[in-house]
Amino acid sequence: ATLTLRVPTGAPLTNYQVDNNFTALNTWGNTINSNVGILSNLTTSATGNLVVAINEINAAVTAIAIALG
């Protein structure tokens, strides 16, 4: 998901930007939900190993959480 962060903008996010962030995360979550159990549909680099794919997604979510503060 592509998110707008406060740090690069140097200002608080507008309501529009916050809404777009939630929409992007919702779309990303829906994509994951629709592809659960089908390894070939994963958009991670590890499409052959579910554990590695989950760890890759976990790292991405952690990075987003840190960036959002």
Side-chain angles (χ1 to χ4, degrees):
T2 302
L3 302 177
T4 302
L5 305 176
R6 291 177 297 144
V7 173
T9 64
L13 298 180
T14 66
N15 288 341
Y16 178 77
Q17 290 169 316
V18 171
D19 287 348
N20 281 343
N21 283 347
F22 281 115
T23 298
L25 289 171
N26 186 51
T27 300
W28 183 65
N30 288 337
T31 299
I32 291 170
N33 284 337
S34 67
N35 291 318
V36 168
I38 305 170
L39 291 176
S40 62
N41 288 344
L42 290 174
T43 57
T44 65
S45 60
T47 59
N49 183 318
L50 187 57
V51 173
V52 175
I54 289 170
N55 288 338
E56 184 177 330
I57 292 168
N58 183 47
V61 170
T62 300
I64 291 168
I66 290 169
L68 293 175

